[in-house]
Amino acid sequence: MRDDLKLYSGPYNRAGTPTWTIYDPARNLYFQIGWVSFEILCRWQLRQVNQIVQQIADETTLEVSAAQIQEVSEFLVKHDLVLHTHQAQTIQKCQRYRAQQQGLAQRLLHGYLFFRIPLWNPDQWLNRHLDKVRWLGSRQFTLLTWLVLFVGLIELSRQWDSFTHSFIDMFSLTGLFSYGVTLVMVKVLHELGHAFTARHFGCTVPRMGVAFLVMFPMAYTDVNDVWKLADKRQRLLVGAAGIRTELTIAAWSTLVWALLPAGVLKDSAFLLATTTWISTVLINVSPFMRFDGYFLLMDWLEMPNLHQRAFALGRWRLREWLFGLKHPVPEHFSRSRYQFLLTFSYVIWLYRFVTFLGIALMVYWYFPKPLGPILGAVEIYWFIGKPLWTEIYAWFEMRKEIMSRSRSLKTVLVLAVLIGIAILPWDPRVSAQGVLKLPVAQTLTVPASGMIARVSVMSGQQVSAGQELMQLESPDLAFELASLTKRQQQLEQQISLSQLLNRERQRLPVLQSQLANVKVDSARIKAQLAQLQITAQTDGKFVASELDLRQGDWLAERTIIGKVLDESALSAHVYLEQSSVKRVSVGDTAVFYAESGVIAPLALTVVRIDSDTTRNLTDGILASVHGGDVGITEKESQRVPEDALYQVVLRPQVPDSNAVDNELRGRVVIYGKSQSWLGDHLRYAAAIFQREAGF
Ligand SMILES: [Zn+2]
């Protein structure tokens, strides 16, 4: 063994056995080993396998085999922990070194995805300043910070509106710049938190610098030295120190923000508070990537290489599930830990898939043209494509074994069905938001003020031309008519009397002209009274207005009491994109589903397809400004659709319009030409590619 290696006793592992850490000062690397390996290494100088086995059996409660000794030996060679005395070993080592020096392309690629720049050896500086910051880790200060956090959060909830408003105000160029500067400051403090805490427990901190993950800079501190700490609590404290620093800043700045009057100081406190809250809560605590949260979880569970071990278990479970290989479990865990690791690995895969896809899209949009798509593709390949491909390749390697299992057949069948569903043209549905319209044939208004004598039809009832809908009466007019009739009778009597008496004869012309006037007036009033009977002018459906009309109610002139809708003109309108409209032809059947289901689904037939795009959307109810799906821009009081859309008109197969009141928004599903589900998406992808390839 190399004699520059150092051996430290480490923490006890979950099984309750001690562990040790081998430290390689030349490369600043740590290797954790278990009890068996330790006992073997202690007797390495015996050089004979059977002597080592014998001595361990004599001196300890352990029993080791020759195979275990061989394993330890291979481990030492693989990690360059042994002295190379033979030429063959040296040559091997050179080859391994060369294999590590990958090709230039590979290195560039990897460099874009991840690289580190060490900037500073802070060990001396930390030593000099440690005493000045020790109080930050004291119990008193921690308790005070909890109190500050508590009060700050209460104040925050009381001033929540003002907080969110300030947050929205920050979305400007200067705001983003301020956030950038604050974030850098906070991250430096975060790293110093780790470094000082490590130093406090006596670890050396050889390097601090910047690491780049997908071109995104992140500060890092080399605290590998904590592996030699035997106390798990101390290691956890070093790991949590960054988050603790940020939470401390978050707590104090939140309280300061809440207490200060408006001004520059309040704004700075706001910046600090939001930056630390977001970076701590959203990023650092997450155990899904290799941030602090992950290392803390790993230490807390006492499971080094948590990700790899969870992934191995997840991969194993997936293969068993797909192929029923009956391979042994990679590691044995308790039931609850097994479940946890399995869930953990699947959640991480999902999380990474979504996150890296999101980052790739951002890279694609924000980097200039030839670079953006290339870098985005590289990232998707590296973080999503490559792991997937590695697994599929592993299946390919195991193909003989896989094909011998009956479970594989089932998986292939299910897969075939799924692929079939995706590529076979089985889906004839063309679906879009549409409107069902019933045009108004007659609007019913009150001709003269009056009282309701009779309501003859109910809202929603069918009516035919000439049918009485409502009878009004007007006591004023009735009284006037009565008095006119009386006056007419009087005049007629006077006229017959005048004709009998000669001395009255000269009054006759006056009386006759008065009688004529009275007759004209009463004819006029009779006509007005006749109007008080409100009748339908066409066949259709009567729909009452919102007013609740009853016998005896008074109505003012020109009040709208309802309308008659022309049922023969009931139609539905939808607006389709070119790719969809191509699949629809006149005569296709369709179904209208009303929004919120106010009427039963209505069967329709396509009667017209426009060959020109719609320039003015007459069905305003479908426009985005009214909560519809069609994006429009308003130009000179016209609603111009943003996309090229074609109007399709449909008619009900059976003219039934129960409960349709003028217009009703809903979804129209037309059964047109079938298409495959994948085809639609592939066409869309091809269209995007065609558009974007033009760089
Ligand atoms: Zn950290």
Side-chain angles (χ1 to χ4, degrees):
M1 274 183 82
R2 283 168 45 195
D3 45 17
D4 56 337
L5 299 178
K6 288 196 175 77
L7 190 66
Y8 296 103
S9 63
Y12 281 78
N13 67 15
R14 282 179 57 79
T17 59
T19 65
W20 284 265
T21 307
I22 301 174
Y23 175 53
D24 174 0
R27 290 177 293 166
N28 194 32
L29 284 180
Y30 290 81
F31 303 92
Q32 201 177 31
I33 58 170
W35 187 15
V36 175
S37 309
F38 173 75
E39 296 293 349
I40 293 172
L41 287 178
C42 286
R43 293 161 182 83
W44 206 244
Q45 74 283 0
L46 295 174
R47 286 176 182 268
Q48 298 296 323
V49 172
N50 50 359
Q51 277 186 15
I52 295 178
V53 171
Q54 188 57 44
Q55 209 180 64
I56 289 178
D58 290 346
E59 294 173 4
T60 71
T61 52
L62 289 172
E63 242 179 76
V64 299
S65 63
Q68 278 172 311
I69 295 174
Q70 181 64 29
E71 250 172 54
V72 170
S73 157
E74 277 165 10
F75 168 82
L76 292 177
V77 172
K78 188 174 155 204
H79 294 288
D80 290 328
L81 301 176
V82 283
L83 287 172
H84 298 288
T85 45
H86 303 297
Q87 194 191 8
Q89 278 179 339
T90 312
I91 290 169
Q92 229 178 29
K93 192 183 154 143
C94 287
Q95 278 168 350
R96 208 164 40 239
Y97 177 76
R98 249 184 250 118
Q100 279 169 5
Q101 304 294 306
Q102 307 137 333
L104 181 69
Q106 187 90 358
R107 263 180 22 223
L108 274 180
L109 189 73
H110 207 245
Y112 151 63
L113 297 166
F114 186 80
F115 62 93
R116 278 184 163 182
I117 306 176
L119 294 174
W120 182 38
N121 180 348
D123 215 40
Q124 294 297 317
W125 186 87
L126 290 172
N127 239 350
R128 253 180 287 134
H129 297 278
L130 182 60
D131 281 337
K132 293 174 202 155
V133 293
R134 259 208 184 99
W135 58 276
L136 285 166
S138 69
R139 180 180 298 268
Q140 291 89 333
F141 182 71
T142 310
L143 276 175
L144 186 64
T145 303
W146 278 113
L147 191 71
V148 162
L149 178 69
F150 184 67
V151 178
L153 286 181
I154 290 176
E155 283 297 318
L156 182 65
S157 66
R158 281 176 37 182
Q159 304 182 34
W160 184 248
D161 278 350
S162 145
F163 189 80
T164 47
H165 272 123
S166 313
F167 198 58
I168 290 160
D169 288 345
M170 291 308 286
F171 281 100
S172 63
L173 208 61
T174 38
L176 288 179
F177 179 73
S178 319
Y179 268 118
V181 172
T182 315
L183 192 66
V184 170
M185 266 168 46
V186 166
K187 286 301 161 191
V188 169
L189 293 175
H190 172 118
E191 295 307 323
L192 285 177
H194 285 302
F196 272 122
T197 315
R199 195 58 249 175
H200 173 72
F201 291 123
C203 304
T204 48
V205 182
R207 268 180 294 276
M208 282 175 93
V210 191
F212 287 82
L213 180 67
V214 199
M215 304 300 263
F216 191 81
M218 288 180 306
Y220 81 93
T221 304
D222 186 344
V223 285
N224 273 323
D225 217 24
V226 295
W227 282 110
K228 72 181 190 199
L229 292 176
D231 185 350
K232 175 181 167 183
R233 212 186 120 257
Q234 294 183 342
R235 270 182 291 130
L236 282 175
L237 277 172
V238 175
I243 291 174
R244 188 171 162 186
T245 307
E246 285 197 46
L247 277 179
T248 305
I249 298 172
W252 285 90
S253 54
T254 304
L255 184 69
V256 167
W257 169 82
L259 295 183
L260 278 183
V264 182
L265 277 176
K266 191 184 176 82
D267 291 346
S268 318
F270 179 81
L271 259 175
L272 261 179
T274 45
T275 310
T276 43
W277 278 122
I278 292 172
S279 87
T280 307
V281 175
L282 289 188
I283 300 168
N284 259 307
V285 172
S286 155
F288 302 131
M289 307 284 282
R290 302 192 156 217
F291 295 130
D292 288 349
Y294 168 64
F295 292 101
L296 278 174
L297 184 68
M298 197 157 79
D299 240 3
W300 184 64
L301 293 174
E302 292 180 29
M303 285 192 66
N305 305 320
L306 179 62
H307 276 168
Q308 289 91 322
R309 291 162 80 181
F311 292 167
L313 196 67
R315 259 198 309 272
W316 168 81
R317 189 73 200 87
L318 182 71
R319 289 175 189 174
E320 290 304 313
W321 188 64
L322 290 176
F323 312 120
L325 294 173
K326 304 220 162 52
H327 281 181
V329 193
E331 268 184 274
H332 288 278
F333 298 105
S334 70
R335 183 89 201 133
S336 57
R337 181 150 292 197
Y338 170 84
Q339 287 297 348
F340 165 77
L341 288 175
L342 215 53
T343 316
F344 187 59
S345 67
Y346 292 149
V347 170
I348 292 178
W349 288 344
L350 191 69
Y351 174 88
R352 290 199 177 170
F353 179 76
V354 174
T355 309
F356 285 121
L357 209 63
I359 295 176
L361 282 179
M362 262 166 58
V363 167
Y364 170 81
W365 285 118
Y366 290 116
F367 278 79
K369 220 16 175 325
L371 206 60
I374 294 172
L375 293 183
V378 163
E379 203 211 304
I380 286 187
Y381 161 74
W382 193 268
F383 289 110
I384 298 172
K386 202 169 168 236
L388 258 179
W389 173 244
T390 310
E391 180 61 14
I392 291 171
Y393 188 74
W395 296 351
F396 177 74
E397 300 265 84
M398 293 188 289
R399 62 191 177 280
K400 275 211 182 96
E401 197 185 348
I402 286 175
M403 282 193 296
S404 68
R405 298 289 192 277
S406 61
R407 182 153 189 130
S408 308
L409 187 68
K410 279 183 211 150
T411 302
V412 168
L413 282 179
V414 170
L415 202 67
V417 169
L418 288 179
I419 291 175
I421 290 172
I423 61 171
L424 288 179
W426 57 271
D427 189 2
R429 291 174 302 171
V430 178
S431 160
Q433 195 181 50
V435 59
L436 192 61
K437 292 177 90 163
L438 198 52
V440 177
Q442 182 191 358
T443 305
L444 302 162
T445 51
V446 174
S449 327
M451 190 181 75
I452 298 176
R454 190 165 61 237
V455 179
S456 320
V457 291
M458 310 250 288
S459 186
Q461 202 174 317
Q462 306 290 327
V463 294
S464 46
Q467 188 181 340
E468 180 192 286
L469 304 177
M470 187 182 282
Q471 179 67 57
L472 299 176
E473 52 184 34
S474 168
D476 286 355
L477 288 178
F479 177 75
E480 213 174 320
L481 184 65
S483 54
L484 281 171
T485 314
K486 207 167 173 189
R487 177 93 181 112
Q488 190 180 343
Q489 283 169 357
Q490 284 173 351
L491 285 170
E492 278 166 356
Q493 277 175 7
Q494 284 178 356
I495 289 169
S496 33
L497 211 63
S498 308
Q499 282 165 336
L500 291 177
L501 300 171
N502 268 344
R503 59 184 172 86
E504 298 280 344
R505 194 154 292 174
Q506 70 272 27
R507 283 183 59 199
L508 207 53
V510 180
L511 288 173
Q512 275 169 338
S513 95
Q514 280 181 349
L515 180 64
N517 279 343
V518 168
K519 279 182 173 170
V520 168
D521 281 352
S522 59
R524 181 175 52 82
I525 297 207
K526 275 178 187 160
Q528 276 187 6
L529 282 170
Q531 271 189 354
L532 290 177
Q533 186 193 37
I534 301 171
T535 53
Q537 282 159 6
T538 58
D539 294 353
K541 189 171 79 166
F542 169 71
V543 176
S545 63
E546 309 267 296
L547 306 168
D548 182 23
L549 300 177
R550 286 183 199 175
Q551 194 174 358
D553 287 350
W554 279 87
L555 293 176
E557 200 176 324
R558 281 201 274 277
T559 307
I560 294 174
I561 58 167
K563 52 205 170 188
V564 176
L565 302 172
D566 182 3
E567 279 185 297
S568 62
L570 179 68
S571 64
H573 296 175
V574 281
Y575 296 84
L576 298 178
E577 290 180 358
Q578 201 181 7
S579 60
S580 305
V581 86
K582 274 196 298 202
R583 295 170 48 207
V584 176
S585 36
V586 170
D588 283 350
T589 56
V591 179
F592 176 83
Y593 299 94
E595 245 171 39
S596 66
V598 281
I599 61 164
L602 182 67
L604 304 165
T605 310
V606 175
V607 293
R608 203 183 79 213
I609 301 166
D610 279 3
S611 52
D612 289 327
T613 55
T614 305
R615 297 210 183 79
N616 180 21
L617 185 75
T618 45
D619 296 305
I621 196 172
L622 296 181
S624 48
V625 285
H626 295 123
D629 282 354
V630 181
I632 56 145
T633 44
E634 286 188 338
K635 265 184 218 149
E636 294 153 9
S637 80
Q638 291 208 321
R639 303 187 198 96
V640 184
E642 282 162 0
D643 299 317
L645 296 174
Y646 298 82
Q647 191 191 43
V648 174
V649 181
L650 307 98
R651 282 284 169 82
Q653 288 166 8
V654 184
D656 162 39
S657 58
N658 277 332
V660 179
D661 175 9
N662 189 8
E663 49 179 19
L664 200 58
R665 194 162 61 190
R667 187 142 288 275
V668 174
V669 177
I670 303 173
Y671 293 89
K673 225 183 287 156
S674 295
Q675 77 160 355
S676 79
W677 175 85
L678 195 67
D680 203 23
H681 289 84
L682 281 183
R683 258 191 297 283
Y684 181 67
I688 285 189
F689 185 76
Q690 212 168 27
R691 196 178 68 208
E692 299 293 335
F695 52 75

